Amino acid sequence: MLDSRFDGLLAVLDFSVFLSPSPEVGANYLTYLLGGAVWTVILSVLSWVIAFVIGSVMGVFRTLPSPTLSKVGACYVEIFRNIPLLVQLFIWFNVVPELLPGFGPWYKHLPSFWQQFTSATLCLGLFTAARIAEQVRSGLRSLGRDQYGAGLALGLNIRQVYNLVLLPVAYRIIIPTLTSEFLNLIKNSAVASTIGFVELARRSESMAELKSTVFEALLAGTLLYGVINLIVLFFSRALERSTKLPGLLGAQK
Amino acid sequence: MYAFDWSSILTSLPFLWQGMVITLEITLVAIVVGILLGTIIAVVRLSKNSVLSAIAAAYVTLFRSIPLVMVLLWFQLALVPPVVRWLFPKANLDLNLIIAFAAFAFFEASYYAEIIRAGIQSISKGQAMAAQALGMTDRAVMRLVILPQAFRRMIPLLLTQAIILFQDSSLVYVIGLADFFGVAKNRAASTGSEVEFILFAGAVYLVLCLTLSTIVRQLQKRITI
Amino acid sequence: MISIRDISKWYGAFHVLKDCSTEIQKGEVVVVCGPSGSGKSTLIKCVNGLEPFQKGEIVIEGTSVGAKKTNLPKLRARVGMVFQHFELFPHLSVLQNLTIAQCRVLRRSASESEEKAFRLLDLVGLRAHARKFPAQLSGGQQQRVAIARALAMDPIAMLFDEPTSALDPEMINEVLDVMVKLAQEGMTMMVVTHEMGFAKKVADRVIFMDEGQIVEDRPKMDFFSRPNTDRAQQFLSKILSH
């Protein structure tokens, strides 16, 4: 099957395959892949929300004076950074539903699509949270002890110092690293294909195998990932510009 | 409460070890080729020839913007089979392993290239000037003065990337190659103890990676150049 | 020996060197001084081709520095340079710093280069530190090693770019002493420096630069007793007051 395509030095690409009907009812392959891209984005965005919230909390914990909270943050990061993403995914898919009371039965009643979606979202969210925690921590660190001291000296309590003084600046500083983390998240979402979730990589693979139009399918999938990349970068730069603090961060690219 | 049954893990240990060997092979090949190729790409990227520099930059950008899963699919479905069939038409090789080696090597090279490039650029210009002032050619400057210092500085980062690679190698699951995790999954399916095997695999990775990253952290403290 | 003719250089739109010209004869010691930003470091780096220039010509013993077919590494091996921040190679020992270019560029044998290295270390008074690494030496010691490293190539001339500016005051003299010795032995030297005491002692000529131009280029005694221009006058009075 593959040999005949490569007998000549150049394989002639057949883009009409995108218009042929796909496994999805009423859609051609182009729509099929675009649908996959949409699911990739939805999965990424939801995971990001989870990751951002939990990551911020853990990052802040690591900079707090309390040794318990600091340890909690450190353990979280170490556990979620030292197990491969794929293994974590299967833990959410196969292990947690068996072990976690309450969650298990609810999960098992979901249709398989939503099982995959839930596992993938939780997995990506908590995995990425560990990385965000490190970035929040280094952003906060870079502000120096004196900012923290100045806040306290005004009579603010710790929570206020973090919310009003430290975090607003720290988040601005780490916008570039958070962006690259979000881009990583989008790339990592492809791992969900291993449990059957129909995001872009999975659909790209199916199309390549079902229609034996390997180059076209993979090329389209790759390009779509590239387009998603560019869109994210565009919005990130806009965000950076709109939140820029004159003088302090103006010099940062 | 789930009834844990760890016995099937004990009987599967030989298979799991074989899988681990595959994982280590892929990791090592990717590290060695990745660093070698990455150094070349980094040096080319910094060269004054704008065409070559652009090609190197394009390589890095390309591999860093695609998911590793897609890279594996590319190598499995499109890139490796025809090349292997062209080079070794009669041989009956384990394609999956070759695909894994090739995909990870080329993929990691782009990440290593960025680390090495940053390392090279972190060496002050004065060092290059001093070497040039002694009459060294550009190649000698890079080889004798810049790269030795750059590598010493980058060792922690190179090792951290290696640990990430070690974890990423589990993705060969996508192409059906049975590495450590792949074996664990297969044995899980055939013995019906999914939960135990997956948790075991997770624990093994956790212990190994924690140990390795602790070693790297200690190493980082000692390196002073 | 070194002929600098109408050198002009731009960094983008910024005109950094404006038609600089001077000649340095064999055995002459020329001091280049001036306020920061005057282009003196840039000019000296043009002499051995470390900085490119857009207009003009620099000729060292018949070889044009800017010409396309000039073998720059070969030329640089004949002219030694000492940098403000010493720039010893931190991953090599003191001895290795002195031998690496001898072996790799001049293709001397290991024993020959080591012998030369030890002789030079004696000259600068640092033989005991041969096996140490740069980080273990003081600034003054590092700079003396740097001078020895440049001398190991048997250069026809030596270029110094603010050799003592990065040193603590108490170490400046140990470096200047070595430079004075070199000058007295007849080395052709071009030295960018603020150390007017050194200039008064061994310089033959003083060049004063300001805003990219050579404003004065006169024999040492003439320059110090009666500078031609106001700018040089102002500079001297500020610098000599401490």
Side-chain angles (χ1 to χ4, degrees):
Chain A
M1 181 175 68
L2 282 172
D3 282 329
S4 57
R5 292 205 67 102
F6 295 106
D7 270 349
L9 272 179
L10 285 172
V12 176
L13 298 178
D14 173 26
F15 289 109
S16 68
V17 69
F18 286 112
L19 295 174
S20 58
S22 73
E24 200 172 282
V25 175
N28 60 25
Y29 269 105
L30 186 57
T31 326
Y32 182 66
L33 286 182
L34 284 173
V38 168
W39 279 114
T40 293
V41 171
I42 295 177
L43 172 61
S44 304
V45 169
L46 276 171
S47 309
W48 179 257
V49 170
I50 297 176
F52 189 78
V53 170
I54 296 187
S56 298
V57 169
M58 291 297 158
V60 167
F61 275 6
R62 297 204 63 180
T63 61
L64 288 177
S66 152
T68 338
L69 290 177
S70 185
K71 277 240 160 61
V72 167
C75 282
Y76 181 91
V77 169
E78 289 304 313
I79 292 179
F80 282 89
R81 288 188 77 166
N82 286 302
I83 304 181
L85 180 58
L86 184 64
V87 179
Q88 290 188 35
L89 182 61
F90 278 104
I91 290 180
W92 285 103
F93 193 55
N94 287 326
V95 176
V96 171
E98 298 295 326
L99 300 182
L100 206 53
F103 176 79
W106 168 77
Y107 181 88
K108 288 183 193 170
H109 279 114
L110 294 172
S112 61
F113 173 85
W114 290 107
Q115 283 187 359
Q116 297 157 1
F117 185 77
T118 310
S119 301
T121 310
L122 287 170
C123 168
L124 280 170
L126 291 172
F127 175 82
T128 310
R131 303 174 61 107
I132 293 183
E134 286 297 88
Q135 285 162 20
V136 168
R137 173 176 166 239
S138 87
L140 286 169
R141 277 257 172 94
S142 73
L143 294 176
R145 303 222 55 119
D146 290 337
Q147 274 285 291
Y148 180 73
L152 289 177
L154 286 172
L156 299 169
N157 64 35
I158 292 188
R159 174 178 298 181
Q160 289 170 318
V161 173
Y162 271 91
N163 284 329
L164 301 172
V165 176
L166 299 176
L167 288 175
V169 181
Y171 278 133
R172 281 177 170 83
I173 293 178
I174 59 176
I175 288 180
T177 40
L178 285 181
T179 307
S180 96
E181 205 49 64
F182 185 55
L183 290 172
N184 279 337
L185 174 59
I186 294 176
K187 283 186 279 176
N188 285 333
S189 69
V191 168
S193 63
T194 58
I195 55 173
F197 183 64
V198 287
E199 41 73 63
L200 181 55
R202 175 68 168 202
R203 287 196 170 181
S204 203
E205 186 184 3
S206 318
M207 182 182 161
E209 284 172 353
L210 286 174
K211 297 288 286 179
S212 59
T213 48
V214 170
F215 269 119
E216 293 85 337
L218 292 181
L219 202 56
T222 308
L223 282 174
L224 280 170
Y225 274 111
V227 166
I228 297 176
N229 240 289
L230 287 171
I231 297 178
V232 169
L233 280 172
F234 173 76
F235 279 111
S236 155
R237 302 240 164 91
L239 182 65
E240 236 180 307
R241 260 176 287 134
S242 69
T243 58
K244 208 155 67 169
L245 294 173
L248 170 62
L249 300 167
Q252 285 193 353
K253 249 215 142 231
Chain B
M1 193 48 210
Y2 184 83
F4 284 97
D5 173 21
W6 303 99
S7 58
S8 27
I9 294 186
L10 289 169
T11 51
S12 307
L13 282 176
F15 302 104
L16 288 167
W17 172 247
Q18 277 172 4
M20 182 55 86
V21 168
I22 304 253
T23 294
L24 291 172
E25 281 175 9
I26 297 173
T27 307
L28 275 154
V29 166
I31 292 174
V32 170
V33 176
I35 291 184
L36 286 172
L37 186 55
T39 307
I40 298 174
I41 295 172
V43 171
V44 168
R45 177 92 172 74
L46 293 171
S47 85
K48 296 186 200 110
N49 183 329
S50 49
V51 170
L52 289 177
S53 173
I55 295 177
Y59 179 97
V60 171
T61 313
L62 183 68
F63 275 98
R64 288 176 63 113
S65 50
I66 319 180
L68 180 49
V69 169
M70 286 295 285
V71 172
L72 282 164
L73 288 176
W74 268 106
F75 275 82
Q76 178 191 34
L77 300 175
L79 297 176
V80 172
V83 170
V84 170
R85 238 171 299 240
W86 172 56
L87 286 174
F88 311 103
K90 302 265 182 58
N92 203 351
L93 300 158
D94 178 8
L95 271 185
N96 277 341
L97 196 58
I98 298 177
I99 293 168
F101 284 154
F104 276 100
F106 282 104
F107 184 74
E108 287 301 318
S110 68
Y111 284 83
Y112 275 123
E114 281 298 272
I115 295 176
I116 295 171
R117 175 170 77 91
I120 292 176
Q121 287 179 309
S122 75
I123 307 293
S124 87
K125 283 193 154 199
Q127 284 287 298
M129 280 198 182
Q132 284 174 322
L134 287 169
M136 288 191 204
T137 59
D138 285 345
R139 190 176 292 182
V141 171
M142 185 59 77
R143 200 168 44 92
L144 300 171
V145 175
I146 304 293
L147 281 179
Q149 295 185 57
F151 268 98
R152 237 162 277 224
R153 265 193 210 176
M154 297 182 285
I155 286 179
L157 281 172
L158 294 173
L159 289 175
T160 308
Q161 185 62 31
I163 298 177
I164 295 175
L165 209 181
F166 177 67
Q167 294 185 30
D168 283 348
S169 68
S170 55
L171 279 176
V172 291
Y173 184 82
V174 163
I175 60 174
L177 182 59
D179 74 323
F180 176 70
F181 183 68
V183 168
K185 272 293 277 165
N186 287 341
R187 299 297 298 170
S190 54
T191 62
S193 345
E194 298 264 6
V195 172
E196 290 86 345
F197 271 97
I198 294 177
L199 280 178
F200 176 71
V204 169
Y205 275 111
L206 181 61
V207 167
L208 284 175
C209 294
L210 256 182
T211 316
L212 289 170
S213 46
T214 310
I215 295 177
V216 172
R217 254 192 297 250
Q218 297 296 355
L219 205 69
Q220 208 158 2
K221 289 194 189 147
R222 289 157 154 257
I223 290 188
T224 37
I225 251 200
Chain C
M1 174 183 277
I2 301 178
S3 189
I4 300 172
R5 298 182 204 136
D6 300 317
I7 293 298
S8 271
K9 181 183 165 70
W10 285 264
Y11 270 138
F14 179 50
H15 198 172
V16 127
L17 293 174
K18 301 169 184 159
D19 297 311
C20 301
S21 298
T22 190
E23 304 269 331
I24 303 182
Q25 309 300 339
K26 187 164 158 110
E28 255 198 308
V29 174
V30 175
V31 162
V32 181
C33 63
S36 21
S38 54
K40 37 192 211 301
S41 278
T42 314
L43 180 64
I44 203 178
K45 289 200 179 120
C46 288
V47 173
N48 65 351
L50 285 180
E51 289 277 357
F53 46 90
Q54 284 80 28
K55 255 182 71 198
E57 208 188 7
I58 298 183
V59 181
I60 303 182
E61 276 208 346
T63 315
S64 166
V65 171
K68 271 201 167 55
K69 58 189 175 76
T70 305
N71 185 336
L72 270 181
K74 207 156 157 218
L75 178 62
R76 289 173 183 148
R78 303 177 64 217
V79 176
M81 185 164 221
V82 175
F83 295 80
Q84 182 175 352
H85 296 286
F86 337 133
E87 302 299 347
L88 292 182
F89 303 137
H91 60 304
L92 303 174
S93 71
V94 164
L95 188 65
Q96 287 168 327
N97 262 274
L98 265 60
T99 56
I100 189 169
Q102 290 188 67
C103 296
R104 304 286 184 158
V105 176
L106 299 178
R107 308 219 171 272
R108 289 183 185 155
S109 72
S111 48
E112 201 191 333
S113 26
E114 272 195 23
E115 223 189 279
K116 177 113 197 156
F118 277 115
R119 255 185 288 137
L120 286 169
L121 285 175
D122 280 331
L123 183 77
V124 300
L126 290 170
R127 192 195 187 105
H129 303 275
R131 312 266 173 207
K132 290 203 183 143
F133 281 80
Q136 296 170 288
L137 302 179
S138 73
Q141 291 169 327
Q142 288 189 51
Q143 194 63 301
R144 282 186 277 155
V145 171
I147 296 176
R149 179 177 67 176
L151 289 174
M153 306 296 282
D154 291 319
I156 57 175
M158 288 279 282
L159 306 172
F160 292 82
D161 183 13
E162 305 220 32
T164 55
S165 300
L167 293 174
D168 288 337
E170 62 270 17
M171 294 192 241
I172 293 181
N173 281 328
E174 65 194 59
V175 174
L176 288 180
D177 286 342
V178 171
M179 291 168 66
V180 166
K181 234 194 305 188
L182 259 185
Q184 286 167 344
E185 284 169 10
M187 174 65 78
T188 312
M189 291 164 66
M190 183 174 178
V191 183
V192 172
T193 186
H194 296 301
E195 296 294 325
M196 293 298 125
F198 170 81
K200 280 197 185 151
K201 201 162 175 187
V202 286
D204 294 304
R205 270 168 42 224
V206 177
I207 291 178
F208 176 75
M209 283 184 75
D210 191 20
E211 296 190 352
Q213 285 175 300
I214 293 184
V215 170
E216 299 217 26
D217 182 355
R218 309 172 66 219
K220 157 181 72 183
M221 282 336 300
D222 293 353
F223 178 78
F224 282 114
S225 54
R226 229 177 342 143
N228 277 343
T229 62
D230 285 338
R231 282 185 283 181
Q233 180 84 297
Q234 281 171 0
F235 178 77
L236 266 186
S237 63
K238 284 196 194 141
I239 248 210
L240 291 175
S241 60
H242 60 89

